[in-house]
Amino acid sequence: MHHLWRREDRLEMVGGKAASTGDLVLVGKEVNPVIKVLTRHGITVTAVHSHMLFETPRLFFLHWWAYDDPEKVARGLQAALEKADIKK
């Protein structure tokens, strides 16, 4: 279980739909499961990258974009967060 986690997102209503963009910081083993869940819920992964070279654990920044029914976007983001190993 890792202790470092960051989520940043923005949501704006446009024409009755939620336009949302944001990013997550994940450890390597979380990246593919989170991508699968996001895409299954119609949320587009726009980038995955790393900022550092020698950190432990290895961290990846995953960016997303969604434009859909607000509840559907929220369910997709919640499902993705459940795939991340977050210490509560």
Side-chain angles (χ1 to χ4, degrees):
M1 187 176 305
H2 72 278
H3 303 275
L4 178 63
W5 179 78
R6 174 180 172 253
R7 180 181 133 211
E8 183 175 322
D9 52 55
R10 293 148 208 85
L11 182 127
E12 183 175 330
M13 294 303 295
V14 179
K17 292 189 176 184
S20 179
T21 184
D23 61 83
L24 299 168
V25 179
L26 305 166
V27 295
K29 68 178 182 164
E30 298 169 335
V31 173
N32 285 332
V34 169
I35 288 173
K36 287 178 186 176
V37 168
L38 288 172
T39 57
R40 189 171 34 223
H41 284 86
I43 298 171
T44 302
V45 175
T46 58
V48 177
H49 60 92
S50 180
H51 287 232
M52 287 75 71
L53 296 174
F54 304 110
E55 79 280 10
T56 302
R58 188 88 169 113
L59 301 176
F60 294 89
F61 295 77
L62 182 146
H63 300 264
W64 81 82
W65 162 256
Y67 181 69
D68 210 328
D69 174 75
E71 289 80 17
K72 182 178 177 187
V73 172
R75 283 192 303 273
L77 293 175
Q78 180 62 41
L81 292 175
E82 290 171 1
K83 291 295 181 181
D85 189 11
I86 300 167
K87 182 177 181 179
K88 297 183 181 194

